[in-house]
Amino acid sequence: MSRNSTPPPDNDGDDNDDDASLVGRWFSVDGNQGVVRYVGPVSGTRGTWLGVEWADAGRGKHGGTRNGHRYFRCRWAADGNSGGSFIRRVARIDWGQTVLAAARARYAEADGAVVARAIDGRRGRIEAVGFDRVAGQQADLRTLATLGLDSLRVYGVGRNRLEREETRRLLGAGTRTLLLANNYLTRWSAVTDILDALRGVETLDVSANHFATPLVAPPECGSSSGATRLDTLRLDSSPGLTWPDASAAAAQLRARAVSFGWSGVSALASAGVPAPPIDGLEELRLDCNRITDIAALSAQLPRLRVLSLRGNRTLVDILPGNATNNELPVVLFPALESLNLADTGISSWAAVDRLALLPRLATLHLAQTPLFETASSSSPDAARTADIPRAQTVARLARITKLDGSAVSADERADLERYYLALCARQLAESHEQQSPPPSNDNPAAATVGLLAKAFPRIP
């Protein structure tokens, strides 16, 4: 189905798509995109209007109010008083297409002929020309393990019974990876409906869509039954969602791994409301957000093995304030084995020392942090500049076996721990020289160990 021939929802075979069902639908018209917030009459006019909020807030003339009466609210504009318009439901409005229509448009023409065209998507531009044998296989949708439908205006699986059955027949058995980023998805129930039709999906990417919050799906949706488990869920580039939204989606779909990056997330806990635990989540990527505290995740994700916080430059420590292991009611992240803190705000060795509270941590990334950049730039020996932060980190964290992608061998650890001890002694000597008069103590050895332990926790 071509872009120009896509009919409005009440003509695409969805018998239940009345005017009321348009509320919440994403659309485009004349090159502008938005979401329907209201359907109905407007005082002083005739007929039915669509109250819409434009993706470009500068296009709207108001915030959903006309002549003193509020018909809807705009949610994206900072002041809430712009971004909205009333438009008529005209034929040129593009409401998107179903998963099956998008798959046919992407991989095969209606008559089964192979498509040879350039494809623009979130992952770049691909020229699908030639490769007749491969293209011929792709024309049979049942053979596709990866279904790439990014940026193809998909709004759901559709309500037409025959199309749903055809979707299940052609796509349901073979599809393992489903890519639906940057589409017209606004309702989480549409996602669970798609998964109900494509029950073999293991990896789902619904990044950069326009979901309404909170993400709540009706209990009758097939995927909410828990009969199947999704391996990987990607919700990147979703600034309208919160961590409670993403974690609820992960729990409902029983996802093993979740990526929720580039979404402006700052809080990982609701004030005064403990988050329900998600036992099955093992890998979590929260890259390039604005997170400041991750302690709340420990109780919520007791089986988390891999955590990536790369690019969260607001994160300066894994614990709030100066908390220590004696102040923690439970073990922090008891299953965590890999932690990516590259390009975060980690700037003190005290923050690194607290990583020792993670009992199973073996793989760590700290590159491009202020701590590593400062430690390197302050080295008087340019030849050893890159070794200084690595040496301190490895020596301070006894269980680390890989740092910034490079394995830590037994010989390297022995060398770096000797360097660490030498650094301790040098700094202690410098501190003694600066003290006048020198402190008196009946047990100089104990005093020395005490000073070392204060600055270097691994010494005792």
Side-chain angles (χ1 to χ4, degrees):
M1 186 178 294
S2 69
R3 180 182 298 270
N4 293 331
S5 63
T6 301
D10 61 349
N11 292 331
D12 70 354
D14 292 345
D15 296 334
N16 296 322
D17 269 323
D18 52 16
D19 284 345
S21 72
L22 292 179
V23 175
R25 285 287 295 271
W26 195 261
F27 71 94
S28 65
V29 60
D30 300 333
N32 299 289
Q33 295 190 359
V35 64
V36 178
R37 301 290 190 200
Y38 168 81
V39 179
V42 174
S43 178
T45 68
R46 294 181 179 181
T48 299
W49 291 85
L50 304 181
V52 304
E53 181 175 5
W54 299 104
D56 177 7
R59 177 175 171 78
K61 299 178 180 179
H62 52 75
T65 301
R66 185 176 187 275
N67 295 333
H69 178 76
R70 178 168 294 281
Y71 293 88
F72 62 94
R73 294 186 181 276
C74 290
R75 304 176 186 175
W76 302 326
D79 58 4
N81 295 318
S82 61
S85 298
F86 289 102
I87 64 173
R88 293 291 190 181
R89 183 176 174 180
V90 294
R92 68 178 184 277
I93 294 178
D94 177 13
W95 299 100
Q97 59 185 339
T98 64
V99 167
L100 182 57
R104 282 173 166 160
R106 166 66 176 83
Y107 293 101
E109 299 289 2
D111 60 359
V114 175
V115 173
R117 61 164 65 97
I119 301 161
D120 286 307
R122 192 172 65 100
R123 291 169 176 78
R125 185 174 178 85
I126 302 171
E127 192 73 21
V129 177
F131 304 103
D132 292 341
R133 181 177 61 84
V134 175
Q137 291 175 345
Q138 289 183 343
D140 184 354
L141 299 177
R142 293 169 296 183
T143 67
L144 293 175
T146 298
L147 195 58
L149 305 180
D150 289 350
S151 305
L152 287 181
R153 307 159 27 254
V154 175
Y155 71 84
V157 74
R159 299 189 200 178
N160 181 279
R161 180 179 59 83
L162 295 178
E163 182 170 6
R164 291 171 74 94
E165 291 176 355
E166 188 74 350
T167 301
R168 185 175 288 110
R169 183 181 70 84
L170 292 178
L171 305 176
T175 303
R176 295 292 177 266
T177 298
L178 180 58
L179 307 178
L180 287 171
N182 191 33
N183 274 292
Y184 282 18
L185 295 168
T186 58
R187 299 163 179 165
W188 190 248
S189 58
V191 174
T192 55
D193 282 345
I194 291 171
L195 293 178
D196 190 38
L198 281 65
R199 297 193 177 187
V201 170
E202 299 170 354
T203 297
L204 174 66
D205 188 349
V206 287
S207 302
N209 277 283
H210 317 278
F211 294 112
T213 59
L215 290 188
V216 176
E220 64 270 16
C221 290
S223 295
S224 63
S225 64
T228 60
R229 179 181 179 183
L230 198 68
D231 181 80
T232 302
L233 172 64
R234 297 175 189 150
L235 283 166
D236 298 320
S237 303
S238 301
L241 300 183
T242 64
W243 168 245
D245 291 322
S247 60
Q252 183 194 40
L253 301 181
R254 303 175 66 216
R256 183 194 62 82
V258 170
S259 182
F260 185 39
W262 297 272
S263 299
V265 177
S266 57
L268 297 178
S270 300
V273 181
I278 307 176
D279 290 333
L281 190 58
E282 298 180 3
E283 298 183 14
L284 177 61
R285 288 169 173 80
L286 295 169
D287 299 337
C288 299
N289 284 299
R290 296 194 294 268
I291 295 168
T292 58
D293 181 7
I294 65 171
L297 289 178
S298 182
Q300 187 182 12
L301 308 176
R303 298 185 182 179
L304 189 67
R305 295 188 305 102
V306 177
L307 175 60
S308 178
L309 297 160
R310 178 175 57 87
N312 283 271
R313 298 180 180 179
T314 50
L315 183 68
V316 299
D317 207 328
I318 64 166
L319 293 175
N322 295 314
T324 66
N325 54 347
N326 295 327
E327 299 168 356
L328 295 175
V330 294
V331 176
L332 190 69
F333 293 104
L336 192 66
E337 301 171 1
S338 177
L339 177 61
N340 191 337
L341 294 173
D343 197 22
T344 61
I346 302 294
S347 59
S348 71
W349 288 115
V352 174
D353 291 334
R354 277 190 281 276
L355 296 177
L357 300 176
L358 308 178
R360 299 186 62 181
L361 184 65
T363 299
L364 178 64
H365 292 266
L366 280 171
Q368 297 178 301
T369 58
L371 177 63
F372 269 39
E373 293 172 353
T374 301
S376 297
S377 62
S378 63
S379 170
D381 184 356
R384 292 183 55 82
T385 292
D387 297 335
I388 299 240
R390 179 177 177 85
Q392 284 225 47
T393 303
V394 171
R396 288 172 182 268
L397 302 174
R399 290 183 291 271
I400 293 296
T401 59
K402 182 180 288 188
L403 178 61
D404 290 325
S406 178
V408 179
S409 67
D411 290 342
E412 182 188 20
R413 174 167 287 282
D415 289 341
L416 296 185
E417 291 193 349
R418 282 193 290 267
Y419 165 80
Y420 179 70
L421 289 172
L423 178 65
C424 295
R426 184 168 67 250
Q427 292 194 10
L428 183 63
E430 292 173 355
S431 66
H432 277 307
E433 292 175 359
Q434 295 171 2
Q435 292 177 355
S436 180
S440 60
N441 195 301
D442 296 335
N443 190 341
T448 298
V449 171
L451 288 171
L452 285 171
K454 184 175 181 181
F456 306 97
R458 282 201 62 203
I459 288 301

